Amino acid sequence: MKQLLLDKIAKKEIVVGVIGLGYVGLPLAVEKAKAGFKTIGFDEQPHKVKMVNEGHNYIGDVVDKDLKRLVEEGMLSATSDFSFIRDVDFIAICVPTPLDIHQEPDLSCVRNSTRDIAKYLTKNTMVVLESTTYPGTTEELVKPILEEGSGLKCGEDFYLGFSPERVDPGNLIYKTKNTPKVIGGVGKDATEVIAAMYRAVLEGDVKEVSSPAIAEMEKILENTYRNINIGLINELAILCNEMGISIWEVIDAASTKPYGFQPFYPGPGLGGHCIPLDPYYLSWKAREYGFHTSMIESSMMINDKMPAYCVERAGKILNRFRKSLNGSRVLVLGVAYKQDIDDYRESPALRVIEELEKTGADVIYYDPWVRQYRFKGQERVSEPELTAELIESADLVMITAAHTNVDYKLVQRHAKAVFDTKNVMKNIENRENIEVL
Ligand SMILES: NC(=O)c1ccc[n+]([C@@H]2O[C@H](COP(=O)([O-])OP(=O)(O)OC[C@H]3O[C@@H](n4cnc5c(N)ncnc54)[C@H](O)[C@@H]3O)[C@@H](O)[C@H]2O)c1
């Protein structure tokens, strides 16, 4: 099986299947197809399948014309019909791994898609889980489902591995193609063959590790590292405000150290599908070993209270104008979870808006990237344009995402007061009406 697959990789005869055509899956499918591997994307959402087959892109990190060309050339197609799994030699599973309402791992998408794969899995196929998850998932959950559902044996009839996705939406330098990749297979041969398949597609380094659990854990480490460091900085931001010290200037100064320090920045809380969720996958798994991940819990406690803290600060700013949040109009700028992207999953801005409204504030928002969003069953629409009149109509402007295509000078000139939780207005000279987190 090993030599057969290595030969097929070298000759570009591998047919690729990507399960889940979202922020991670679609860019991966496009890269595989661009590298000369015929690729079939699988998604349970018919509108995504239809869009791909019509050559329409819906993910920011994918170049529209690349997608269109690959579809026209017959190198990329999409389907909701898993029976096409029979035709593929390499499968990457890129489905969501959210938390349930009790903040525990919800692996239903991984489980369901793996069951669907197992029904049609054929011999000599490579299966790689890319979804972020707790250490052990590939061997404890995916492997038995594949073996039982297909009657095939892992390592003998098919290869299985884990390779964490590292997509950073909106990153202009690091894309799927040039970001290094880690591969941990079930057995050495699996690792070698799966790594060869990624090397045939990517420019970034491909690092082989000794097991899927190492690869699963390293991904959680990456995201937990960010989560905890952001938690530390958020806590220091609260302290620095009490002490009358600018946390931003402190971080700038510390960043002059050429070794041993990496800057992280405070903000209204954590957002996105990864950093706020993934560490809980580890906390959950750790409890199986009677272990409490206290650093994760502490950092989550701080990060989770940032939206409420920011609203408290907003209230204090209005107080200075003898106003209360109750009855004041607040213009929130930016609801995406980070700058210059349209993804608002887990965005702290949504919680800021919720908290503001709980206090009775009249909230409007403007986001050039997120024209509307749905949160807790409610739909909201962005103000169409950021005009001087709109800014003047608000008692307070609260900046919750550092989008670069916003006219912050206009904001400064016309706002009664600004609360900048991202320090995005740092280069604006006149700062009389600006308060920074
Ligand atoms: N978005 C990121 O920035 C990012 C970065 C690194 C890692 N990840 C991880 O990658 C994984 C995927 O995240 P994403 O952001 O691409 O999610 P997404 O929601 O954008 O896309 C997932 C897709 O999977 C499809 N899907 C769900 N269940 C399915 C099933 N049973 N069969 C077929 N299709 C199914 C959905 O319809 C959706 O289109 C997650 O584990 C996430 O933690 C995401």
Side-chain angles (χ1 to χ4, degrees):
M1 173 163 67
K2 180 175 152 187
Q3 201 49 52
L4 174 94
L5 285 170
L6 289 172
D7 290 347
K8 276 182 122 180
I9 293 168
K11 291 186 201 147
K12 305 242 160 137
E13 285 172 3
I14 296 283
V15 177
V16 171
V18 175
I19 319 296
L21 296 174
Y23 287 91
V24 166
L26 191 61
L28 182 70
V30 165
E31 284 312 325
K32 298 269 182 203
K34 268 167 79 180
F37 293 98
K38 199 167 175 217
T39 300
I40 307 172
F42 295 79
D43 204 289
E44 60 180 13
Q45 294 186 50
H47 76 274
K48 289 189 178 171
V49 168
K50 186 166 178 283
M51 282 186 82
V52 171
N53 286 332
E54 288 171 354
H56 296 310
N57 176 32
Y58 51 86
I59 295 287
D61 285 347
V62 171
V63 178
D64 297 3
K65 64 176 191 322
D66 284 354
L67 180 84
K68 201 167 176 356
R69 177 179 57 79
L70 292 165
V71 172
E72 280 168 4
E73 288 171 354
M75 290 304 289
L76 178 65
S77 61
T79 181
S80 296
D81 181 354
F82 271 75
S83 69
F84 285 99
I85 286 289
R86 288 194 196 104
D87 301 339
V88 306
D89 312 278
F90 174 93
I91 300 167
I93 306 173
C94 308
V95 296
T97 43
L99 296 172
D100 67 15
I101 53 162
H102 303 293
Q103 305 285 75
E104 295 197 344
D106 171 4
L107 282 167
S108 55
C109 292
V110 172
R111 206 174 280 116
N112 293 341
S113 56
T114 307
R115 279 191 193 127
D116 286 336
I117 293 166
K119 280 187 218 154
Y120 304 104
L121 189 69
T122 52
K123 278 192 170 191
N124 303 325
T125 304
M126 298 166 263
V127 183
V128 182
L129 179 63
E130 292 219 4
S131 304
T132 308
T133 181
Y134 58 80
T137 311
T138 306
E139 293 201 75
E140 292 164 15
L141 182 90
V142 175
K143 182 170 166 257
I145 297 178
L146 288 178
E147 289 190 327
E148 279 158 32
S150 67
L152 300 175
K153 188 110 187 67
C154 179
E156 285 174 23
D157 301 317
F158 68 92
Y159 286 137
L160 175 64
F162 183 83
S163 178
E165 185 43 57
R166 286 173 161 169
V167 163
D168 182 17
N171 192 317
L172 298 176
I173 299 166
Y174 287 106
K175 307 274 182 199
T176 300
K177 175 107 181 147
N178 62 348
T179 304
K181 199 102 173 84
V182 172
I183 318 282
V186 181
K188 267 188 163 177
D189 288 354
T191 308
E192 191 185 324
V193 178
I194 293 168
M197 182 59 203
Y198 281 100
R199 285 194 183 104
V201 174
L202 306 179
E203 279 167 6
D205 277 354
V206 174
K207 163 107 178 137
E208 295 175 31
V209 296
S210 58
S211 68
I214 298 273
E216 289 159 338
M217 188 64 154
E218 80 77 15
K219 172 68 189 183
I220 300 261
L221 168 63
E222 288 170 29
N223 288 357
T224 302
Y225 170 82
R226 280 190 64 75
N227 181 308
I228 288 176
N229 278 289
I230 294 169
L232 168 69
I233 284 296
N234 277 332
E235 185 167 64
L236 290 185
I238 297 171
L239 173 66
C240 281
N241 181 57
E242 295 295 317
M243 298 174 79
I245 294 170
S246 161
I247 183 72
W248 305 93
E249 204 179 336
V250 171
I251 299 167
D252 269 0
S255 301
T256 58
K257 186 177 180 186
Y259 50 87
F261 181 82
Q262 189 190 352
F264 288 85
Y265 297 95
L270 295 174
H273 185 36
C274 300
I275 312 297
L277 312 185
D278 300 344
Y280 279 137
Y281 270 70
L282 187 59
S283 307
W284 178 85
K285 186 67 181 173
R287 289 203 293 276
E288 192 180 312
Y289 297 82
F291 193 94
H292 294 270
T293 49
S294 58
M295 304 277 285
I296 292 175
E297 283 308 317
S298 304
S299 140
M300 288 297 200
M301 274 158 54
I302 295 155
N303 290 325
D304 277 353
K305 82 172 185 201
M306 288 311 286
Y309 171 76
C310 288
V311 170
E312 193 187 308
R313 289 271 301 268
K316 286 183 180 164
I317 295 170
L318 284 170
N319 256 346
R320 282 184 228 134
F321 295 88
R322 296 174 186 273
K323 282 187 175 255
S324 65
L325 270 172
N326 191 352
S328 289
R329 176 173 249 215
V330 181
L331 168 61
V332 171
L333 283 189
V335 296
Y337 82 82
K338 71 177 214 185
Q339 75 278 8
D340 302 340
I341 62 164
D342 61 3
D343 192 349
Y344 60 84
R345 288 177 296 177
E346 314 294 327
S347 173
L350 312 188
R351 286 196 39 221
V352 166
I353 292 176
E354 188 185 31
E355 291 289 328
L356 285 168
E357 285 187 333
K358 270 194 216 158
T359 64
D362 165 25
V363 186
I364 49 174
Y365 92 89
Y366 171 76
D367 190 317
W369 291 85
V370 184
R371 288 306 186 173
Q372 67 217 49
Y373 73 84
R374 182 168 270 282
F375 181 58
K376 297 191 178 170
Q378 271 196 325
E379 184 131 330
R380 260 180 185 283
V381 180
S382 165
E383 294 300 313
E385 243 185 298
L386 186 65
T387 59
E389 295 72 41
L390 181 74
I391 299 164
E392 279 164 10
S393 77
D395 298 296
L396 177 70
V397 177
M398 203 163 161
I399 298 172
T400 41
H403 292 319
T404 49
N405 57 346
V406 168
D407 186 348
Y408 294 107
K409 282 192 178 144
L410 186 82
V411 174
Q412 189 282 320
R413 278 204 305 276
H414 295 278
K416 295 183 185 91
V418 180
F419 182 32
D420 182 357
T421 70
K422 302 295 290 184
N423 201 22
V424 70
M425 292 174 78
K426 60 177 175 289
N427 295 326
I428 300 225
E429 270 174 37
N430 188 351
R431 310 196 57 79
E432 277 163 18
N433 54 351
I434 303 172
E435 176 163 328
V436 186
L437 177 65

